[in-house]
Structures are given as C-alpha cells and as structure tokens.
Amino acid sequence: MSSKKDSNKDGKLSSVYRQTKPGAPVGPATPAKTTRASGKRKAREEDTTPAPEVLARSQGEGAVSRADLSQDEQKLRKFDLTTKFGPAAGISRLERWERASKFGLEPPEEVRTIIMAAGGPGSAADKGLWHDRV
Amino acid sequence: MDIERPVPGQASRYDELLAPSTSKGDEASFNRASSSYTNHDARFRSSKRTYDRQYAQLYFSRLMLLKGVMRKRVEQLWPGVPVCSILEVQEGKEVAVIGTIYKNMKLKPSILDEYTKDRGLKAALGAANFCADDDSVVMEDDGARMVLSVAAPGTMAAAAAQQPGWAAGDGPLAVQELVTGLVMAVRGVHEPGGDFYVSAVAFAGLAPNPHPLPHPLPPLPASGTAADAAAALAEARPGDKYLALVSGLGLGGSRADMLATQLAADWLTGNLGSPAEQQLAAQVVRLVVAGGGIGTLEGLAGAAATAPGANPYNRAAQAVALQPVRDLDLLLAELAAGLPVDVMPGPEDPANVALPQQPMHRCLLPGAACHGSLVRATNPHEFEAEGVRLLGSSGQNVDDVAKYCGLRDRLDVMQRTLACRHLAPTAPDTLTCYPFTDADPFILDSTPHVYFVGNQPEFATRLVVLQPSCAGSGAAGSNSMAAGAGAGAGAGAGAGAGAAGGSSSGAGGGEGQVVVRLVAVPSFARSGTLVLLNLRTLACHPVRFDGSLGLGADGGAGV
C-alpha cells in the first residue's frame, strides 16, 4: 500500500482515484461534455484501439474527466457545441468552420489551425463530437 | 402561263394554302431569327452528391443567407424596434424576431401515422390541399422556437397593434398564406406566461433586378380584358423575337394526344400553316420544355405488370418502360433540328427526384443530344436570352406550396415565393431536396424578368411591377398586387387569368422598379396549349393545338 502511494507521489493523483465501473452509464459527476457525448448508443463498441480523443467520447470505460483532455481538444469540443455556428451533426469540423466564416460568424481562428495541424480534412481532429453517432 | 389567283382585296388567312401552288421561284422562305443565349444553371448543378447529411444544415444556411436582407427590411419597416433572437426575447417588451416558419397542420400526411392511426381518410386525399382552420405557426431560429399567436383584444399586444401605422386586428398573421420553410420577421410582444403575440409580419420582399431590360416596356392597359390583350398583341412589331414555353407533354401516358403534339412540333419547325403562320414561327428563337416530357406510365402499373410472377425486368416490360423515352427522344430530335431547345426534367421524367433536378442524361436522348441546339437543363432553370433573364421550374415547387397553403391562384403562390426570395420554401419539409450544407441555391438574390412554372392546371400570366422591397402596407410587406394586365386571354385557350391588378403600390417613378412577368405554363397533355413570350415587350399569349377535327379546331395562333 505505502509503496503504491510512493510510486504515484510525483504522478497525477487522479489516476489513482479515478473510478470507473465497467459497463455502467456515466454518472452525473462527470462533466457535462463527456456525458452528452457518450449518451447515445450504449451498445457501441470500438474495434481497434482508438485515439485518446475518441476514447474520451466512448461510453463507460475510458471516460475521462475534463482535466485529462488536452487544451486543443477542449477548444475543438467547445467549437462543436456552440450553436451560433450552426448544427454540428453530420458535418465535419472543417466544413462547419468554413461555412461559419462564409456567413460572417467569425469562428475562432485557432480551431482551424488545430485541425490543419492535426492533418487537415479527414483527420481525427476533423471528426466532430457527433461523428458516426448521429 | 395564266393561273387563276385569288383577288387580292378579299384574301383571307388561309387563301395561300388553298391556292394552286406557285412556281418554285416564288416560294417565300423564312429564316429563323436567332438570339443570344447564356445559361446560368451553374448553381443548380452538383457534381458529387452525398446523401448522409441532415437537413438541419440546409435550414441553418437558409436562415443565415436571408438574415441580412431581413434585418435591413425590419429596420426599414419598423424603425426603433430592437431585433433579437428567440432566446433573447423578454416578456413584456416589444421586439422583432427573424426566423423560419414551421406550420403545424394536422391534416398533413405524416409517416408516423402508419404506426399510430389507420390510414383512412388521409390516404384517400391524394394530392389535395391539406389546410385546416386550426393550423398554427411556430417560428424557429438557430437557438430555439416559439409559438406565434395573434393578440387577443385587451392585452398589451393588442394595444401595440392598434397604434397608427401598424396592422390591426386579426390581419397580421395570415396563417393560411404561410407555409413551412419561409423566412420572415415578426414584430410583437411576448406576454408573461403566454405566447408571442404578433402585431405585424414582414417578408424579404422582391429582390432587385440588377440587369435592366434592354428595351423599355410599352405602357400596359389598365385592365386585362380580351380586347386589351389583343391590343397588347397588336403592339408586337415584325422584328420581335419570341420564346416558346411548353410543359407536360406527357408522352407515353394515356392523356397525350399525339396529333396535337405533332401539330405543335410541325408548327414550331415551320412546316405548318400559311406564310403568315410560318412567319410567326420563324420568330420563335427558342423552345423551353419545362418538364413533363414523359407521362405516367400506367402500363407499368397495370394488371399484367403486377400479376404474381410478372417480371419487371424482362424484355417486354422493359420495352413498355422505355418506349416513352424513345418517343421523347424522337420528338426532341425533330424539334432540335429546327430550333434551339432547352429541356428540363419534370416530376415524372427519368432524372433524380430531389430538387434541384440534374439534367437528363445524354444517353437517354441519343438522337436528340447529337444536335448542338439541344440544351439539357436543370430544374429550376435559369438563363438569359436577348438580355432578358428568365427563371423557371417544372412545377413541383409551386404545386407543393399550393398543397399546404390557402392561396388558390397559382400566380399568387408564385408571387408569394418571389416576395420571400425563395423558390421552394417547402423543401425539404414536404418536397424532396438535396441536403445542402453551406448554400441554398433556391434563394433568389435577384429577381428574374420572367418567372415561368410548368405543369400548371391552366394558363395564367401577370406582370408585376413593384418597388424592390417596397413598404406597401405594413402588415403584408411587399405582398400587395401591382397594376398588371395579364396580356393574352386568347379566345379558345385555357382560362387566361389576366387579373385586373388592384391598386398599384409604390407611386410611379420607373427608377429601381422591379418588373417580373409571371407565367403559369399549362400542361400540354391536358390543354394542348403552348405559350409564346415576346422577348421585347414581355407580353405572352397562348397558342392552342387541337387535334380533334370538326370541333372548330384552329391549328394556329389564337388571337
């Protein structure tokens, strides 16, 4: 016991205290973003090992708290959830960004740079929160 | 050689036909007039089509694209009233809100009814009108939706409604005239604990015509009687060029009268009639087939086809299915050899069903597509001829709006859709449409000079002259009818509804006026009528072909 604590002293404590129950739905304690994202399709399974961002969206096991998400991913999610730029379901993030800037809604420029840095259209960062879910 | 010729003073119309044939040298030959033509279909074409998008994107794009125009209009009509979104509406404060309309209609057929109720009456209604007296209207924008109601007397909203200059009583929210998908602005008050009470509504109004007409229009007669229509025809000068519009040929269907169709084709190519008629035909520079080339294939739905064991893919069944397309190809080849033809797909033609319909494929019209004069157009189709911009559709958009609103006159429906700057407001709710994500090609940024719609029940036309987005009466926005004489109530033709215009709105002053000629092209299979539009004066008159001999048939222009 004490050795375990010692080994984690300089690591993140959240990895020790995180509790996940296999197969159970995400409870209200988790932040709103992941709850909403993982609310659909309880039976969904990922075949291959997905990227951390994708894991974050999936149900039950692998649900992460907001602190675990990178800054970039948080910004991308915030962009998805802002209704001012239009519905996000069924459209890729880059297309939605281009459309928002076409209509003069001034979407944040950094969202675009993040997506382009991650590989542009078609990359994992380009797939919105509702990709393959709706 | 002495030949008996008719006395010149008593020459009647068909004397040249009855006279003995003249020698070769005397034969008059006519050259078809030519005109400039530019195709503007690019915005309706799409190269790749992905259908896994949701329609919410289309509604969002529509609202965003029209919001700028609506905001300017609201500032112009109701200065001082703040504009806010639905989420920001506070109780008790008079505001203006811009959003898209959704109309709750209990008679509207819904796919869910299959599971909840039995079919009964709804299935039997067919293509009838689905309006009821208790339809209600909801307004949506990108954040929320709210129910619109009309003020009850004695409330604050009613008091606001009775101020001078604003619409009064139960007038402002004419639910019967609205359809789902229109973008409009409402002004009113959100009562505490109640709905949003509307005191006035506004539409975007007619878009301006950025391209001026090459020739000024002649002054129109005040009323639209037949005598004045003849006077309008008399205005036509010898050098005038005409555009022929036809729709609903219905080849292969049970209603098609092949003799009338052949008469029309012969007349257009100049093979029919006396030299006077041929002269008129020579002035037709283009033919537009506004959809409906193929008729309903009843043969496919007949007893033989649906009997158990019937194979729809065997050679006999395929021959039945393909024969109308071959007939259309033959007809178009004959026409295209004589004059430039634009063919648009219609509701039952072999093209995709979702608007905007893409042009019919080359391989469907092998004979006709060889001619360079055949243009396979989209539906809706926009083009320019002789400096006149025309926009037309095969009728699905107007038919669908007419099913869901209480406007009886098709020209009123057309005018209303132009005033809302949207060709097909009911798409995608009840009219199949491609799920666009960042554009809406049906939005009209500029009003064309001629708006024609095919496959209508009868011929009707109206000339609308308005100030762009003019105030008119505060309530109806620019819905007021302008002084327009419907030229062309030809004798013996379908009901030429040359409506005597009401009071003209917007005093005189030709600057910046919007001029639109609305034409409802009747279905040829039903009426045997095609429409000639004079490209200089924008006057139009019907030409009727009747194949039933001995019933007073006139194989020529009805004047």
Side-chain angles (χ1 to χ4, degrees):
Chain A
M1 281 290 269
S2 55
S3 58
K4 207 181 195 174
K5 262 197 191 164
D6 285 336
S7 67
N8 281 322
K9 222 178 203 171
D10 28 0
K12 285 197 286 189
L13 277 179
S14 57
S15 62
V16 175
Y17 293 109
R18 183 196 323 164
Q19 296 195 6
T20 58
K21 298 193 179 92
V26 179
T30 53
K33 282 182 186 165
T34 38
T35 308
R36 205 181 306 182
S38 47
K40 319 222 175 154
R41 295 209 203 162
K42 290 188 179 183
R44 186 157 187 84
E45 284 162 8
E46 310 273 11
D47 291 318
T48 56
T49 49
E53 290 87 24
V54 178
L55 258 185
R57 294 198 301 265
S58 68
Q59 234 290 297
E61 297 211 13
V64 292
S65 64
R66 193 184 300 185
D68 283 354
L69 293 173
S70 65
Q71 282 288 324
D72 285 353
E73 177 69 17
Q74 282 187 35
K75 283 182 194 148
L76 289 177
R77 287 183 174 212
K78 192 161 162 224
F79 173 68
D80 276 350
L81 293 171
T82 316
T83 55
K84 180 174 129 181
F85 305 125
I91 191 175
S92 78
R93 274 183 183 144
L94 201 56
E95 280 180 12
R96 188 160 170 260
W97 193 95
E98 303 279 350
R99 178 182 73 186
S101 83
K102 186 171 119 177
F103 290 155
L105 300 168
E106 291 168 15
E109 186 63 47
E110 53 189 2
V111 168
R112 184 162 199 275
T113 47
I114 294 171
I115 299 175
M116 294 310 281
S123 63
D126 194 32
K127 299 184 163 70
L129 271 178
W130 283 273
H131 179 76
D132 271 352
R133 292 163 161 268
V134 179
Chain B
M1 190 162 59
D2 238 6
I3 303 177
E4 258 194 9
R5 291 178 197 276
V7 178
Q10 294 167 15
S12 76
R13 248 170 108 134
Y14 300 111
D15 268 1
E16 289 103 334
L17 295 175
L18 296 171
S21 58
T22 56
S23 59
K24 281 271 179 195
D26 283 353
E27 260 181 36
S29 71
F30 303 96
N31 290 324
R32 190 174 290 282
S34 65
S35 83
S36 61
Y37 173 78
T38 328
N39 192 315
H40 290 285
D41 273 349
R43 75 170 198 245
F44 299 118
R45 284 185 173 253
S46 48
S47 47
K48 61 177 172 79
R49 301 196 130 205
T50 53
Y51 285 94
D52 55 358
R53 300 288 165 92
Q54 296 209 346
Y55 286 122
Q57 316 286 350
L58 174 58
Y59 278 119
F60 176 72
S61 307
R62 185 183 297 181
L63 183 59
M64 285 295 125
L65 288 167
L66 283 176
K67 222 176 190 176
V69 169
M70 291 302 309
R71 199 173 262 267
K72 282 200 204 100
R73 186 104 174 84
V74 165
E75 280 159 19
Q76 183 191 19
L77 273 184
W78 307 320
V81 180
V83 177
C84 65
S85 72
I86 293 178
L87 287 171
E88 293 162 8
V89 169
Q90 292 159 352
E91 290 181 350
K93 201 171 138 213
E94 193 182 31
V95 289
V97 184
I98 301 171
T100 315
I101 288 295
Y102 177 79
K103 191 167 160 187
N104 285 315
M105 305 173 78
K106 72 168 198 275
L107 289 181
K108 183 165 108 178
S110 156
I111 190 98
L112 297 174
D113 291 340
E114 279 187 29
Y115 301 102
T116 54
K117 306 169 192 162
D118 41 24
R119 312 264 183 96
L121 186 59
K122 282 188 200 161
L125 277 179
N129 191 283
F130 298 112
C131 284
D133 287 331
D134 57 352
D135 295 334
S136 64
V137 159
V138 170
M139 171 168 277
E140 282 189 29
D141 71 1
D142 43 351
R145 52 164 33 197
M146 66 183 181
V147 181
L148 299 180
S149 347
V150 181
T155 57
M156 194 167 110
Q162 258 145 41
Q163 283 170 26
W166 308 124
D170 53 5
L173 194 61
V175 175
Q176 291 298 320
E177 292 181 12
L178 299 175
V179 282
T180 302
L182 291 177
V183 174
M184 72 183 200
V186 292
R187 169 207 168 120
V189 185
H190 188 255
E191 289 287 307
D195 301 321
F196 189 89
Y197 288 100
V198 176
S199 59
V201 312
F203 298 103
L206 283 175
N209 288 129
H211 313 272
L213 275 172
H215 308 276
L217 292 182
L220 298 157
S223 61
T225 57
D228 291 313
L233 272 177
E235 284 257 349
R237 291 191 216 137
D240 276 348
K241 300 183 183 173
Y242 290 89
L243 188 81
L245 297 164
V246 74
S247 100
L249 294 168
L251 298 175
S254 59
R255 276 221 194 116
D257 183 357
M258 283 317 291
L259 181 54
T261 315
Q262 197 57 46
L263 280 174
D266 285 341
W267 182 76
L268 282 168
T269 49
N271 291 322
L272 192 69
S274 63
E277 323 262 320
Q278 288 177 314
Q279 178 61 49
L280 180 59
Q283 286 172 257
V284 174
V285 293
R286 192 157 210 106
L287 168 71
V288 178
V289 181
I294 312 283
T296 321
L297 297 177
E298 279 121 10
L300 285 182
T306 52
N311 181 4
Y313 299 109
N314 66 12
R315 198 168 281 231
Q318 293 233 318
V320 168
L322 293 176
Q323 194 53 42
V325 183
R326 288 202 197 99
D327 289 343
L328 180 67
D329 185 35
L330 281 173
L331 181 68
L332 285 179
E334 191 185 325
L335 287 169
L339 78 164
V341 179
D342 283 6
V343 60
M344 295 162 58
E348 280 156 10
D349 285 338
N352 55 310
V353 80
L355 287 188
Q357 284 181 295
Q358 299 299 297
M360 289 198 274
H361 201 276
R362 248 195 96 98
C363 298
L364 287 168
L365 309 167
C370 297
H371 294 272
S373 47
L374 181 80
V375 173
R376 290 171 296 113
T378 54
N379 169 26
H381 181 36
E382 186 172 8
F383 62 101
E384 183 189 323
E386 286 293 299
V388 176
R389 282 192 90 112
L390 298 98
L391 172 66
S393 86
S394 300
Q396 294 108 315
N397 50 338
V398 170
D399 287 345
D400 204 61
V401 174
K403 268 198 254 178
Y404 296 101
C405 82
L407 293 172
R408 289 274 150 255
D409 189 357
R410 294 300 170 101
L411 292 177
D412 286 338
V413 172
M414 287 161 69
Q415 191 165 350
R416 171 58 67 108
T417 55
L418 284 183
C420 297
R421 299 209 192 182
H422 201 276
L423 282 180
T426 50
D429 185 46
T430 41
L431 186 61
T432 321
C433 153
Y434 175 69
F436 294 99
T437 50
D438 61 351
D440 188 347
F442 303 112
I443 290 183
L444 295 168
D445 292 319
S446 63
T447 311
H449 297 122
V450 177
Y451 178 40
F452 64 90
V453 175
N455 286 303
Q456 296 302 296
E458 52 190 24
F459 167 68
T461 180
R462 180 188 295 167
L463 186 73
V464 173
V465 181
L466 279 181
Q467 298 295 116
S469 302
C470 78
S473 66
S478 61
N479 190 31
S480 42
M481 306 298 165
S503 59
S504 75
S505 70
E511 288 172 14
Q513 271 189 337
V514 177
V515 173
V516 197
R517 161 68 69 185
L518 304 176
V519 185
V521 182
S523 165
F524 192 88
R526 236 183 288 183
S527 64
T529 310
L530 64 82
V531 178
L532 284 187
L533 174 77
N534 186 327
L535 286 174
R536 183 185 61 91
T537 64
L538 292 189
C540 70
H541 65 274
V543 177
R544 184 156 180 254
F545 297 92
D546 192 347
S548 54
L549 306 168
L551 283 178
D554 51 346
V559 172

